[in-house]
């Protein structure tokens, strides 16, 4: 049996407050704690990569480093326990104490981190495609391919984040 759209009354939850699904205290707290765990994990990965025998001298390590930085930026935008959300939406977002500028900054950092992280994942896939399938040498990858493996994620992430910030 297929049901229709969920009525607004069912989206309102908890003790008569108007907190929408995903913006209540439980979801805000759990999401923030998971983002903090992600920040710590990516920070450890950066620590391991930078203190390894090769450091950032390999293309693989530089891609993983960029992917970790992007994940940290995205997770930072989620690890605020909703405190950066504008206070004028506190009627449905738990713990909203920010203003429009803090919301815009959070959106910029989150958008940049999310898009850059996804494209760094694509960069890692393309790196492995060049190494495994096409058996390209490190010199060729470093000089011909790697600038695009970093430029596209950073550039596209900035373009999308700036475009959404300006709107």
């Amino acid at each position: 049996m297929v049901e229709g759209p969920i009525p607004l009354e069912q989206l309102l939850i908890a003790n008569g407050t108007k907190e929408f699904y995903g913006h209540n205290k439980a979801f805000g707290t759990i999401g923030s704690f998971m983002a903090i765990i992600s920040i710590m994990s990516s920070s450890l990965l950066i620590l391991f990569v930078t203190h390894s025998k090769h450091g950032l001298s390999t293309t693989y390590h530089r891609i993983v480093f960029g992917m970790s930085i992007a994940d940290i930026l995205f997770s930072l935008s989620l690890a605020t326990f909703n405190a950066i959300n504008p206070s004028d939406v506190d009627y449905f977002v738990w713990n909203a104490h920010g203003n429009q500028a803090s919301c815009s900054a959070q959106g910029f950092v989150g958008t940049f981190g999310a898009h850059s992280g996804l494209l760094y994942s694509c960069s890692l896939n393309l790196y492995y495609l060049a190494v495994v399938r096409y058996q390209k040498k490190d010199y060729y990858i470093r000089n011909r391919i790697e600038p695009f493996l970093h430029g596209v994620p950073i550039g596209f992430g900035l373009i999308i984040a700036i475009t959404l910030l300006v709107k």
Side-chain angles (χ1 to χ4, degrees):
M1 175 192 301
V2 177
E3 296 181 19
I6 299 172
L8 180 61
E9 296 81 34
Q10 290 181 3
L11 292 175
L12 300 176
I13 60 169
N15 303 328
T17 61
K18 296 183 189 274
E19 296 174 335
F20 288 97
Y21 179 79
H23 291 285
N24 62 19
K25 186 175 184 177
F27 284 107
T29 304
I30 291 169
S32 292
F33 277 123
M34 293 180 76
I36 290 169
I37 291 170
S38 179
I39 290 169
M40 290 188 309
S41 300
S42 291
S43 298
L44 279 174
L45 192 55
I46 288 173
L47 186 70
F48 292 152
V49 165
T50 56
H51 287 81
S52 70
K53 183 173 112 178
H54 299 289
L56 292 174
S57 65
T58 66
T59 301
Y60 170 75
H61 283 178
R62 288 188 292 270
I63 292 172
V64 170
F65 181 82
M67 192 183 320
S68 297
I69 294 292
D71 179 62
I72 288 172
L73 290 175
F74 176 65
S75 296
L76 279 174
S77 71
L78 300 176
T80 61
F81 295 93
N82 293 337
I84 292 181
N85 291 347
S87 58
D88 55 334
V89 295
D90 65 346
Y91 60 91
F92 71 89
V93 176
W94 169 77
N95 198 29
H97 296 296
N99 54 31
Q100 187 59 45
S102 65
C103 183
S104 296
Q106 178 186 22
F108 179 84
V109 170
T111 301
F112 175 71
H115 287 90
S116 296
L118 288 172
L119 289 172
Y120 262 116
S121 180
C122 293
S123 293
L124 189 60
N125 292 332
L126 290 172
Y127 168 75
Y128 277 121
L129 181 68
V131 170
V132 175
R133 172 68 174 94
Y134 295 108
Q135 300 174 350
K136 296 295 180 184
K137 300 294 180 202
D138 191 47
Y139 176 80
Y140 180 85
I141 292 172
R142 186 182 308 122
N143 294 324
R144 295 282 183 111
I145 300 173
E146 188 175 0
F148 296 103
L149 297 180
H150 296 290
V152 170
I154 293 170
F156 187 75
L158 282 173
I159 288 170
I160 294 298
I162 291 170
T163 302
L164 293 177
L165 182 65
V166 171
K167 284 186 175 185

